Amino acid sequence: MTTTRTSSPTAPSVHHDGSDLAARFAAGDESALAEAYRTWGVMVQGMCRRTLGDVHEAEDVTQTVFLAAWRGRAGFRPERGAFSAWLVGITRRKIADALEARSRRATLVATAGSLLAVSEGQTGADPQSVLDRVLISQSLAELSVQQRTVIELAFFEDLTQTQIAQVTGWPLGTVKSHARRGLRRLGDCLSHR
């Protein structure tokens, strides 16, 4: 005896390539954004984590990817490829942006650290160094208390982020977030002066 499988005429059509979801997303269906995040969020975050090596930064970039996709949803063209491939392209660009920002922060940190370091026995400072220290002090004053605390402990006390977490009692992820956001804001403040 053979049995034949018949599909129910009322069963919804499921697209394994995400084309239905992509169409709803591109049309501005907010529930499609949440579904896209559930469907591809792990993939995007995995790419970010592997490349960036920092879980918290990967989470930030993942959110940025989906925000950029939502804002740029009109640019999705199904004839050019799958929705997941489009998300991968956005993810790669946002990872590159994060790595570039990390490089800028490292340069800023090195510059700020060298400008804030006062040599032992230094009796007179050149006018540019004094001006640089004043600008950095003013920029530090514009940070939140938590951001300023983390940056001051890192540069003035030469503590690692793990040590800062122990001193402040904050979770390490919180310290990293305050450092990252504080340095970004410090860089913005200094570039506008």
Side-chain angles (χ1 to χ4, degrees):
M1 176 172 177
T2 59
T3 58
T4 58
R5 295 178 96 178
T6 59
S7 62
S8 166
T10 58
S13 166
V14 176
H15 298 280
H16 294 291
D17 63 355
S19 59
D20 178 53
L21 174 58
R24 291 181 18 244
F25 187 95
D29 180 352
E30 290 182 13
S31 68
L33 173 60
E35 189 175 337
Y37 187 83
R38 283 191 305 274
T39 303
W40 293 293
V42 171
M43 174 194 70
V44 168
Q45 190 166 359
M47 286 177 63
C48 295
R49 191 172 39 248
R50 280 188 302 277
T51 306
L52 299 171
D54 180 276
V55 173
H56 300 290
E57 191 174 12
E59 290 170 356
D60 289 348
V61 173
T62 298
Q63 290 176 3
T64 303
V65 167
F66 281 93
L67 180 61
W70 182 251
R71 287 181 176 162
R73 65 188 177 274
F76 171 67
R77 299 284 179 258
E79 63 275 7
R80 292 187 187 166
F83 186 73
S84 58
W86 183 66
L87 280 175
V88 166
I90 294 171
T91 302
R92 287 181 177 150
R93 286 190 297 278
K94 294 304 177 185
I95 288 171
D97 291 348
L99 290 171
E100 184 180 328
R102 182 188 287 177
S103 178
R104 283 193 312 267
R105 285 191 306 270
T107 301
L108 174 65
V109 167
T111 302
S114 67
L115 292 174
L116 291 172
V118 179
S119 302
E120 287 183 17
Q122 181 180 6
T123 56
D126 68 276
Q128 185 61 45
S129 293
V130 172
L131 178 60
D132 289 340
R133 279 196 293 277
V134 168
L135 290 175
I136 290 172
S137 294
Q138 288 175 341
S139 297
L140 280 170
E142 294 181 23
L143 301 178
S144 72
V145 173
Q146 296 88 351
Q147 292 168 349
R148 186 172 50 251
T149 299
V150 169
I151 290 173
E152 287 175 348
L153 287 172
F155 293 104
F156 299 133
E157 302 296 326
D158 199 28
L159 297 179
T160 66
Q161 289 180 335
T162 302
Q163 291 169 327
I164 293 170
Q166 291 170 347
V167 167
T168 61
W170 298 332
L172 181 58
T174 301
V175 170
K176 288 182 177 188
S177 294
H178 286 315
R180 184 173 54 251
R181 291 183 181 118
L183 289 172
R184 187 179 307 139
R185 184 146 182 235
L186 185 61
D188 291 343
C189 291
L190 290 172
S191 67
H192 291 102
R193 293 196 184 270

